[in-house]
Amino acid sequence: MSTTETTASGVGPVEGGSYNVDNPAPYIEAPRQRTKKTPKSTRGNFEMAAWLFMRLSGVVLVVLVIGHLLIQLVLDGGVSKIGFAFVAGRWASPWWQVWDLLMLWLAMLHGCNGLRTVINDYAERANTRLWLKGLLYTATVWTILLGTLVIFTFDPNIR
Amino acid sequence: MPAGTLYRGREGMWSWVAHRVTGVLIFFFLFVHVLDTALVRVSPEDYDKVVATYKTPIVAVLEYGLVAAILFHALNGLRVIAVDFWAKGARYQKQMLWTVVGVWIVLMLGAIYPVLGHAARVVFGS
Ligand code: HEM
Ligand code: HEM
């Protein structure tokens, strides 16, 4: 911008005459400023909590899932060693029970919330969204319950 | 010039697409995986029968794909977290993406033998 420009200012004549200390311009609220008149949000902070959960669970899942893959696919002969006896050996230890339980809950909830976002993005009709999410939540709850039950009721002497 | 209406973003958009696709894939795998693991409550024989399919060469290739998906989603997820919480994250997002890709390639090379070795021995004989 040139400082030597001397053409008229871009601001046209101001309505209501010129303002000065004795005749101040009317105060205009900043856009989106929250005031007493702003309606209270009815949704709480759910979306913010969900956003934060994705990040916190993500950090923990890095350790849990990559550790799991290392144990199942890389160490001790990789997949070839897996079988009922191997699982019995692992779930004899509370450490791996808790590991698997935490991994189950965090991965299912993280994935479920992720898929909720995907459904919100692509399913355009309200009805479609409702049904897809109903299906998602039902499948998630049942899978978490089944996996939890399996860890807690595992019986090495089933046969 | 392309006449379509498909938005073609830069690296940032494609990493987002890949993050989404891998996340959904892993989630669907997890449903099946909890079901197959639940067979330990049915009988050792049924569990071992299903796990035997996990050891075939074709499924080994799928497992390699699963490892690829998880490693990308995990590394890129850490990048997303860094962009959100690290003050300079947004400025270095592109460098971080190429770091993610580089680490991913190294880890995938390292996974070839452990994940696919047994399949190669079956296919080519040991
Ligand atoms: C192909 C790769 C994989 C193999 C061979 C595998 C193998 C196994 C085995 C043998 C178990 C039985 C318990 C144990 O030994 O800890 C198990 C349980 C489990 N795995 Fe994996 N796993 C794989 C990938 C994954 C991935 C990617 C995830 C997470 C996204 C995962 C999540 C789980 C969970 C949550 C359980 C506990 C299931 C339950 O509560 O019944 N696994 N896995
Ligand atoms: C291994 C560690 C993991 C990390 C660090 C991680 C990180 C993240 C982060 C930060 C997001 C949010 C992305 C955003 O808001 O833009 C996300 C989304 C997602 N994650 Fe993960 N995640 C991990 C494991 C998993 C697992 C095991 C599953 C499946 C069970 C999964 C499924 C998803 C899905 C479906 C989304 C939504 C994608 C989207 O909205 O585009 N993630 N992940």
Side-chain angles (χ1 to χ4, degrees):
Chain A
M1 230 185 274
S2 159
T3 44
T4 54
E5 199 110 1
T6 48
T7 43
S9 111
V11 181
V14 181
E15 205 183 309
S18 55
Y19 297 114
N20 55 44
V21 198
D22 302 317
N23 181 27
Y27 179 70
I28 299 169
E29 210 67 76
R32 290 189 215 139
Q33 171 97 33
R34 285 194 169 72
T35 65
K36 272 183 234 121
K37 278 181 264 169
T38 312
K40 281 265 175 316
S41 166
T42 50
R43 291 208 289 176
N45 275 333
F46 176 75
E47 289 299 341
M48 209 263 260
W51 178 90
L52 195 62
F53 171 75
M54 288 309 270
R55 278 137 189 87
L56 294 180
S57 58
V59 173
V60 182
L61 280 169
V62 172
V63 178
L64 293 178
V65 175
I66 295 186
H68 184 70
L69 284 180
L70 215 55
I71 291 163
Q72 307 293 356
L73 291 180
V74 178
L75 303 177
D76 265 330
V79 262
S80 314
K81 67 175 176 258
I82 299 178
F84 185 84
F86 173 75
V87 179
R90 280 176 49 76
W91 279 348
S93 148
W95 167 267
W96 297 116
Q97 285 184 314
V98 171
W99 182 295
D100 281 355
L101 194 67
L102 203 62
M103 182 166 64
L104 171 76
W105 280 71
L106 287 181
M108 284 307 294
L109 292 176
H110 178 104
C112 177
N113 189 244
L115 225 70
R116 184 182 66 91
T117 311
V118 175
I119 292 172
N120 279 340
D121 278 355
Y122 299 128
E124 293 184 6
R125 294 180 50 237
N127 232 330
T128 317
R129 279 200 300 277
L130 191 73
W131 279 101
L132 286 178
K133 283 190 218 168
L135 187 69
L136 172 68
Y137 299 154
T138 316
T140 300
V141 169
W142 279 108
T143 307
I144 291 181
L145 288 180
L146 174 67
T148 306
L149 186 86
V150 167
I151 294 176
F152 279 115
T153 66
F154 179 73
D155 174 10
N157 305 313
I158 188 168
R159 217 17 69 91
Chain B
M1 279 282 103
T5 54
L6 176 67
Y7 172 64
R8 288 179 175 78
R10 302 188 46 130
E11 310 86 5
M13 181 190 110
W14 294 108
S15 68
W16 170 79
V17 170
H19 194 80
R20 176 160 277 194
V21 171
T22 51
V24 173
L25 279 177
I26 302 164
F27 189 54
F28 287 154
F29 163 79
L30 190 53
F31 277 118
V32 180
H33 186 46
V34 174
L35 282 179
D36 68 54
T37 304
L39 285 174
V40 294
R41 291 297 296 127
V42 179
S43 79
E45 291 77 21
D46 289 314
Y47 182 76
D48 287 346
K49 215 181 293 167
V50 169
V51 171
T53 62
Y54 274 45
K55 304 175 185 176
T56 60
I58 293 175
V59 179
V61 174
L62 296 180
E63 279 154 15
Y64 192 69
L66 181 71
V67 171
I70 299 222
L71 286 179
F72 177 79
H73 190 94
L75 293 169
N76 189 59
L78 291 176
R79 167 178 162 265
V80 170
I81 294 168
V83 168
D84 287 343
F85 289 106
W86 178 36
K88 294 186 185 146
R91 184 159 3 126
Y92 290 116
Q93 64 89 11
K94 201 184 281 184
Q95 287 90 328
M96 286 196 287
L97 179 58
W98 295 119
T99 310
V100 164
V101 173
V103 174
W104 180 81
I105 291 176
V106 170
L107 291 177
M108 287 311 289
L109 288 175
I112 291 178
Y113 181 74
V115 178
L116 295 173
H118 68 95
R121 281 191 290 278
V122 170
V123 175
F124 304 113
S126 47

